[in-house]
Amino acid sequence: MATAAAASASEPEAEAPAGPQAEGEEDEVNADGSRRKVLSRAVAAATYKAAGPGCEAPEEGVSDSGGDEEDYAMASSAESSPGECEWEYDDDEEKNQLEIERLEEQLSINVFDYNCHVDLIRLLRLEGELTKVRAARQKMSEIFPLTEELWLEWLHDEINMALDGVDREQVYELFERAVKDYICPDIWLEYGQYSVGGIGQKGGLEKVRSVFERALSSVGLHMTKGLAIWEAYREFESAVVEAARLEKVHSLFRRQLAIPLYDMEATFAEYEEWSEDPIPEVVAQSYAKALQQLEKYKPYEEALLRAEAPRLAEYQAYIEFEMKGGDPARIQLIFERALVENCLVPDLWIRYSQYLDRQLKVKDLVLSVHSRAVRNCPWTVALWSRYLLAMERHGAEHQVISATFEKALSAGFIQATDYVEIWQTYLDYLRRRVDFKQDSSKELEELRSAFTRALEYLKQEVEERFSESGDPSCVIMQNWARIEARLCSNMQKARELWDSIMTKGNAKYANMWLEYYSLERAHGDTQHCRKALHRAVQCTSDYPEHVCEVLLTMERTEGTLEDWDIAVQKTETRLARVSEQRIKAAEKEAALALQEEEKAEQRKRTRAEKKALKRKKKPRGADKHKADEDEEEEEWGDDEEEQPNKRRKLENSVPPASDAQDQEAEMGLFGRSAPTDAKAPSKQERAAALKRDVPKVAHDSTKDSVTVFVSNLPYSLAEPDAKLRPLFEACGEVAEIRPIFSNRGDFRGYCYVEFKEEKSALQALGLDRKVVEGRPMFVSPCVDKSKNPDFKVFRYSTALEKHKLFISGLPFSCTKEELEELCEVHGTVKDIRLVTNRAGKPKGLAYVEYESESQASQAVIKMDGTTIRENTIKVAISNPPQRKVPEKPEARKGPAGPMVPRQMYGARGKGRTQLSLLPRALQRPGAPAPQAENGPAPKPAAPASTATEAPMMSNADFAKLLLRK
């Protein structure tokens, strides 16, 4: 066994002669040294196996070390003749020590860095630092639940170094801790096999049977891995020489055959071969019933085998199936199996704990699951609240509940409101402990001090971190006031609290005053009710009419004539002032709307004058066409930065054949009138002519699946085809690149790239945001927006992402590498994105994605408010605001009944002008619809509005209607 091997390996050091002084201390040092050498050699053997044949083994016994006595003896004899690999370890020892020091320093800064703990344990184990590796594992296990792999590694190391019965008991305690983190059949199997080694000790046989019985109750129902536990238990019982062993083995066979497990047929055949008597009819019936149940479970087990981790959807379907069956043991097992792979999903923990709270109600089981839940997802306030309630429900001690609450405060919640919720849960618990029949008690004083501490904590800690207290309505203070008024009959304290509530910006809300009035009405007197309503009339700004009505109602039923007159006077004065303020606000709004209309009219007149002046200067033939082009450029010039796909239907359009011939005869080849004495064209004109001579190719919508739309390219890009082709050929064979040019031959900054295969087009989408000549290139699918008006392409999530940070206030010169160096101190950084504008210039914003939500929450705590190059940055969890979706025109109807169309604007809002962007050449009546060259064909123009439609009304018209009331 491993224990004997470790003992034999340490015998040479233990028998070394000791000096006359400190003999016991010398023996202890030698024993510790022997353990370190056993651990380091075991690690060296594992490293040699991973390195392969290229590295010579130190000794044959070490290379094949399996934990038995002979291997460890050979490893001890090989100490005097180290191999080549051991010398390599010595060369790297100094490097490892430096890395260990760095990891320890990083953990002293951020103890919640999971990967840092794992790396430190690996290096300490490699160096054979027994004491330090134990301490590192202990520290990590106190903060995080360990995975099955980490526990097995720890257990194997401790088993190899266990020298006596005391060490064996420590290993037993370690096994007990390991089986509590997650349901792991391999750990239970290892536990049972290790306990067999101690069968010779006092109570060893009972210990082995106890471990195996607990393993069966925990994972014996596991359909794919439970079989190994049953077989190991049967083999042990078969080897025990007892008179009653045969009946024990019979019992195990019968119990196993009554449970649906994989490979049941082989177990039944083994039982028939082992048993000397025929199989009882009851056992055969139980076996047949289990086989039928197995067929029901197989689809869910096969779905788990086919899917990839973490298989959350498959586990949820399995849980639903088990919940319908109602077997508590099977429901608990499937929850535990799902949590092994989805331990960071708070909703799964909430559902599991809720089932245990409502159905099983077993104290030890319920509290254990709640404790594991908050260790896996400490940032989820709902889990902490449920944990506190469960502890109270099952009668936990007050000191334990208070300690758990203190841990919750240091868990690092990601929202200010989370702290309000956990404080409310704890204060509710303290309130339920108080016996309010007594005038004063220790519990009541503790409750009041907790309320005071909660208010100070929200004001100092939470508000400093989140720039808000999380309790703008002062809910905690309201609860305190109600308790003082209703349960303690202390209206004086309640009034003081409500005065404090009103001074925190709540005096303008009618509902706050009415809540105070209700409290005074129930537990105060009429005088204070009247005083509260008088103050409410003067201060309320949202619903003053309602407050005035309540005051008049009270005076009508209870007040004197003098009280009535005062109330009427105050309400009339207040309502008159409110009406006057509203009229002034409406007039101001109408004046602003009128100014906007006048400015718009002035712009229209200015543009009309310019057009008329240009028509007078160039009235004939080619000049008239040139004027049309100039007007078109003027209308489009202000929106030069607009996304090209909004205008692509109108560009490079192919005119009808007859119009093309007439235009060529009239205008000449280069868009100019062709006099006989024309000068030779310039170099720029020749370049433009070459671009216009590109053959016109109509867009084929059937090839949209193999085409991508590329935009935001530099207008100065020379030869776009030659520049872009090498980039996109890396994704697959390119059939054609169609750059878009204006009528003057200028590149418009976008093009279409057509591939031979669809998978190449999908791969090309990965080039989105790639920088081309200092500008990010946008690559999106080629979609006809006339057929898919709701199609949107946005690469990044707009929902709450708790593992991603949003950082603002960065210096524009900050690089991705500098930001990564700053962020990786707080956890493993998966991705960093610096936000830029369309020209590729930084905006001082960034998104940083961490490996887990706990790392992100810790990074927010440490980084928010720090300074980078004299810039104070703000760090928060990524939660972009919801984008406003424009209302569809068909959803609105005018006041007269028929639907009134509303101007729809693009994602960048309203342009500088409200002129039509349709070129005048396309507005001629009777002209055939142009055929799109590099985009989908445009829709036919909508019919002109009829005289029966309701006229459009401006903001000024609505303001005038309001003032006439």
Side-chain angles (χ1 to χ4, degrees):
M1 298 299 293
T3 306
S8 65
S10 62
E11 282 179 1
E13 287 78 12
E15 296 177 357
Q21 298 178 351
E23 182 176 357
E25 183 178 352
E26 182 78 9
D27 292 340
E28 184 179 351
V29 172
N30 288 337
D32 184 65
S34 67
R35 296 182 183 183
R36 291 179 55 183
K37 289 178 181 178
V38 169
L39 176 61
S40 61
R41 292 191 187 103
V43 176
T47 308
Y48 166 74
K49 290 181 180 181
C55 181
E56 182 181 354
E59 196 73 29
E60 183 179 356
V62 177
S63 64
D64 295 326
S65 175
D68 56 13
E69 182 176 355
E70 181 180 357
D71 290 340
Y72 276 100
M74 297 178 70
S76 177
S77 65
E79 181 182 1
S80 60
S81 58
E84 182 179 349
C85 288
E86 291 194 39
W87 287 114
E88 292 181 3
Y89 298 148
D90 294 338
D91 294 339
D92 294 338
E93 183 176 358
E94 182 178 357
K95 180 180 178 181
N96 291 341
Q97 288 296 333
L98 292 176
E99 181 65 13
I100 289 173
E101 293 176 2
R102 187 190 70 81
L103 292 173
E104 289 176 344
E105 181 180 359
Q106 185 171 343
L107 284 176
S108 65
I109 299 174
N110 179 19
V111 73
F112 293 98
D113 191 333
Y114 185 90
N115 292 329
C116 190
H117 281 284
V118 175
D119 293 340
L120 179 61
I121 291 171
R122 177 181 58 80
L123 286 176
L124 291 174
R125 187 169 182 266
L126 186 63
E127 291 297 313
E129 297 286 349
L130 172 62
T131 305
K132 290 186 177 180
V133 75
R134 276 178 174 170
R137 283 167 167 165
Q138 178 67 26
K139 186 175 182 180
M140 182 179 181
S141 66
E142 292 174 355
I143 301 173
F144 301 104
L146 303 186
T147 62
E148 181 179 4
E149 293 77 12
L150 290 175
W151 273 120
L152 289 174
E153 182 184 79
W154 189 358
L155 290 167
H156 289 163
D157 290 345
E158 294 293 342
I159 289 172
N160 292 336
M161 292 180 290
L163 301 178
D164 51 23
V166 177
D167 291 341
R168 175 171 288 275
E169 290 299 325
Q170 293 178 353
V171 175
Y172 283 152
E173 293 177 2
L174 198 61
F175 268 113
E176 291 295 332
R177 292 174 54 190
V179 297
K180 290 179 181 179
D181 273 354
Y182 300 107
I183 293 295
C184 300
D186 292 341
I187 294 180
W188 276 111
L189 183 61
E190 190 77 20
Y191 193 6
Q193 292 174 347
Y194 180 72
S195 65
V196 172
I199 194 173
Q201 298 180 350
K202 183 179 179 180
L205 180 60
E206 290 76 11
K207 174 70 174 178
V208 176
R209 285 176 172 168
S210 173
V211 170
F212 273 115
E213 287 294 338
R214 290 172 56 201
L216 290 180
S217 64
S218 179
V219 296
L221 298 177
H222 198 299
M223 298 193 61
T224 57
K225 296 184 178 181
L227 180 63
I229 306 293
W230 287 99
E231 290 179 346
Y233 195 5
R234 286 204 318 271
E235 290 175 3
F236 165 74
E237 291 293 348
S238 300
V240 176
V241 181
E242 287 184 352
R245 71 178 181 86
L246 293 179
E247 183 59 32
K248 187 71 174 178
V249 176
H250 273 292
S251 175
L252 288 176
F253 267 118
R254 294 167 185 170
R255 289 167 59 188
Q256 180 181 351
L257 290 174
I259 298 173
L261 298 173
Y262 271 30
D263 206 14
M264 290 186 64
E265 297 83 355
T267 304
F268 187 78
E270 182 182 353
Y271 186 29
E272 287 181 323
E273 181 180 355
W274 181 86
S275 178
E276 298 177 357
D277 301 327
I279 305 298
E281 183 66 23
V282 178
V283 177
Q285 291 177 358
S286 299
Y287 169 69
K289 184 177 179 180
L291 280 178
Q292 294 177 358
Q293 293 177 344
L294 179 62
E295 294 301 321
K296 297 179 181 179
Y297 290 116
K298 272 187 177 181
Y300 297 96
E301 292 290 345
E302 292 173 355
L304 290 175
L305 294 175
R306 290 193 301 267
E308 297 181 356
R311 301 184 276 251
L312 179 59
E314 288 76 14
Y315 275 120
Q316 288 177 337
Y318 206 161
I319 290 172
E320 291 292 343
F321 174 75
E322 292 287 11
M323 294 284 277
K324 293 178 181 178
D327 187 347
R330 299 199 65 89
I331 294 174
Q332 182 184 353
L333 177 63
I334 191 59
F335 268 116
E336 293 288 353
R337 290 177 60 185
L339 288 170
V340 171
E341 299 183 20
N342 300 274
C343 58
L344 299 180
V345 181
D347 291 341
L348 192 59
W349 283 106
I350 290 174
R351 188 178 182 186
Y352 185 23
S353 60
Q354 181 177 324
Y355 169 76
L356 296 178
D357 287 334
R358 297 179 179 178
Q359 301 296 329
L360 295 187
K361 301 180 181 180
V362 180
K363 177 181 178 180
D364 294 338
L365 177 60
V366 170
L367 296 184
S368 173
V369 170
H370 279 289
S371 176
R372 291 162 52 206
V374 297
R375 290 184 66 205
N376 281 275
C377 305
W379 61 89
T380 306
V381 67
L383 292 175
W384 286 102
S385 299
R386 289 174 176 271
Y387 190 14
L388 294 176
L389 291 173
M391 295 176 75
E392 181 186 4
R393 193 177 295 117
H394 292 281
E397 295 183 358
H398 174 60
Q399 292 78 4
V400 177
I401 297 178
S402 298
T404 304
F405 169 70
E406 296 297 333
K407 290 181 181 179
L409 287 181
S410 60
F413 300 132
I414 59 178
Q415 294 179 354
T417 54
D418 293 344
Y419 288 94
V420 178
E421 181 177 346
I422 195 65
W423 269 110
Q424 282 185 302
T425 303
Y426 184 61
L427 292 170
D428 292 344
Y429 156 71
L430 294 179
R431 194 265 305 165
R432 288 188 285 267
R433 294 180 67 241
V434 179
D435 182 7
F436 290 100
K437 295 180 181 179
Q438 302 178 7
D439 294 338
S440 179
S441 63
K442 179 181 177 181
E443 290 79 8
L444 179 58
E445 294 303 322
E446 184 178 0
L447 174 62
R448 286 171 172 166
S449 62
F451 269 115
T452 304
R453 183 190 169 198
L455 298 178
E456 293 177 355
Y457 187 89
L458 294 178
K459 181 178 180 181
Q460 297 176 4
E461 301 291 337
V462 178
E463 192 167 353
E464 180 180 351
R465 176 181 168 189
F466 296 98
S467 299
E468 59 168 327
S469 66
D471 190 14
S473 300
C474 301
V475 176
I476 291 180
M477 204 176 298
Q478 289 186 45
N479 291 336
W480 189 5
R482 295 188 189 99
I483 291 173
E484 293 290 351
R486 297 175 183 175
L487 301 177
C488 301
S489 301
N490 188 354
M491 276 303 301
Q492 182 61 33
K493 181 63 176 179
R495 293 184 185 112
E496 293 176 2
L497 292 171
W498 272 103
D499 285 340
S500 180
I501 292 173
M502 293 306 180
T503 58
K504 295 183 181 297
N506 294 298
K508 58 184 177 181
Y509 300 117
N511 65 318
M512 301 296 288
W513 285 109
L514 295 179
E515 183 70 24
Y516 179 29
Y517 167 73
S518 299
L519 193 66
E520 284 284 0
R521 193 77 173 159
H523 306 285
D525 50 45
T526 305
Q527 181 181 357
H528 285 90
C529 289
R530 183 177 290 109
K531 184 178 179 180
L533 290 178
H534 283 184
R535 291 177 59 192
V537 169
Q538 297 299 324
C539 300
T540 303
S541 60
D542 54 351
Y543 299 105
E545 296 88 351
H546 187 37
V547 175
C548 293
E549 183 180 354
V550 173
L551 175 59
L552 293 175
T553 301
M554 189 193 76
E555 298 297 358
R556 179 176 284 112
T557 56
E558 300 182 16
T560 63
L561 178 60
E562 183 180 359
D563 295 332
W564 172 261
D565 291 338
I566 295 174
V568 170
Q569 181 181 356
K570 285 192 174 184
T571 55
E572 288 180 351
T573 304
R574 177 58 178 165
L575 293 178
R577 189 183 306 120
V578 169
S579 178
E580 182 180 353
Q581 291 174 353
R582 290 174 178 174
I583 291 174
K584 288 182 178 180
E587 290 177 349
K588 186 176 181 180
E589 181 70 22
L592 291 176
L594 188 59
Q595 291 178 5
E596 290 295 329
E597 284 192 358
E598 291 177 353
K599 291 180 181 179
E601 290 294 335
Q602 180 64 28
R603 288 194 295 266
K604 289 181 181 180
R605 286 194 297 269
T606 303
R607 285 193 294 269
E609 292 174 358
K610 289 182 179 180
K611 292 176 184 178
L613 184 60
K614 288 182 179 181
R615 290 192 186 97
K616 291 179 181 179
K617 291 182 178 179
K618 300 178 181 179
R620 297 189 306 275
D623 294 336
K624 181 177 180 181
H625 182 78
K626 185 66 172 70
D628 291 342
E629 285 187 358
D630 292 340
E631 292 168 11
E632 197 174 301
E633 291 169 12
E634 179 186 344
E635 293 178 2
W636 287 38
D638 291 340
D639 293 329
E640 190 65 22
E641 293 297 329
E642 188 176 354
Q643 295 181 4
N645 58 2
K646 298 179 181 178
R647 305 194 299 257
R648 67 183 183 185
K649 300 177 184 179
L650 308 176
E651 296 171 354
N652 290 345
S653 56
V654 182
S658 59
D659 291 353
Q661 293 175 359
D662 296 341
Q663 184 173 340
E664 184 176 355
E666 180 183 357
M667 308 273 307
L669 182 61
F670 299 105
R672 302 285 191 274
S673 57
T676 56
D677 56 347
K679 296 182 180 179
S682 63
K683 182 178 180 181
Q684 182 178 2
E685 291 174 344
R686 287 197 302 271
L690 290 175
K691 294 175 182 178
R692 284 196 297 271
D693 286 342
V694 175
K696 307 293 184 179
V697 180
H699 180 77
D700 187 359
S701 59
T702 60
K703 297 183 179 180
D704 285 350
S705 59
V706 296
T707 305
V708 295
F709 177 64
V710 184
S711 61
N712 203 47
L713 295 168
Y715 295 138
S716 59
L717 187 65
E719 299 182 357
D721 190 332
K723 182 70 176 179
L724 298 177
R725 187 173 290 272
L727 292 176
F728 288 97
E729 283 182 343
C731 304
E733 185 179 357
V734 177
E736 183 184 11
I737 295 180
R738 300 195 298 275
I740 306 303
F741 299 97
S742 67
N743 292 333
R744 295 181 297 175
D746 298 327
F747 180 50
R748 300 304 302 271
Y750 60 98
C751 65
Y752 296 86
V753 180
E754 182 183 330
F755 291 90
K756 293 288 187 180
E757 299 178 350
E758 184 176 352
K759 64 178 182 180
S760 302
L762 295 176
Q763 186 176 354
L765 298 177
L767 297 176
D768 187 37
R769 279 11 184 233
K770 184 176 181 60
V771 178
V772 176
E773 294 190 2
R775 192 177 179 95
M777 173 180 65
F778 298 164
V779 183
S780 59
C782 184
V783 176
D784 185 356
K785 291 191 176 181
S786 64
K787 299 179 181 178
N788 301 276
D790 296 331
F791 177 77
K792 299 289 183 184
V793 178
F794 192 67
R795 183 179 178 182
Y796 306 103
S797 173
T798 57
L800 173 65
E801 296 177 282
K802 296 183 179 180
H803 65 286
K804 185 180 292 186
L805 303 184
F806 173 68
I807 304 178
S808 60
L810 291 170
F812 292 155
S813 58
C814 181
T815 63
K816 183 177 181 180
E817 291 74 17
E818 293 174 345
L819 187 58
E820 183 176 6
E821 183 179 354
L822 178 67
C823 296
E824 66 183 2
V825 178
H826 309 292
T828 303
V829 178
K830 295 180 63 177
D831 184 42
I832 292 180
R833 176 168 63 95
L834 294 175
V835 182
T836 62
N837 58 16
R838 294 175 65 85
K841 304 297 182 182
K843 301 175 69 173
L845 308 174
Y847 289 91
V848 180
E849 182 179 357
Y850 279 95
E851 192 173 53
S852 66
E853 298 179 15
S854 60
Q855 294 178 358
S857 62
Q858 290 300 317
V860 171
I861 298 174
K862 301 294 184 182
M863 295 176 58
D864 187 32
T866 57
T867 303
I868 301 178
R869 298 182 189 172
E870 301 181 357
N871 284 38
T872 302
I873 63 173
K874 293 184 179 181
V875 184
I877 298 296
S878 176
N879 188 15
Q882 294 294 329
R883 296 191 169 202
K884 294 183 179 180
V885 180
E887 187 181 358
K888 294 184 177 181
E890 56 269 17
R892 296 186 302 273
K893 293 188 178 181
M899 298 169 58
V900 180
R902 177 181 174 185
Q903 180 66 38
M904 301 296 291
Y905 303 113
R908 300 178 61 193
K910 183 168 62 174
R912 296 183 184 177
T913 71
Q914 297 300 301
L915 300 178
S916 172
L917 298 183
L918 191 65
R920 188 172 288 102
L922 300 180
Q923 293 180 348
R924 297 171 182 171
Q931 184 179 2
E933 177 181 326
N934 290 305
K939 291 183 176 181
S945 301
T946 62
T948 59
E949 291 184 352
M952 296 290 288
M953 297 183 67
S954 65
N955 291 337
D957 295 332
F958 284 106
K960 292 175 182 178
L961 290 175
L962 180 62
L963 293 177
R964 289 173 186 169
K965 291 184 178 181

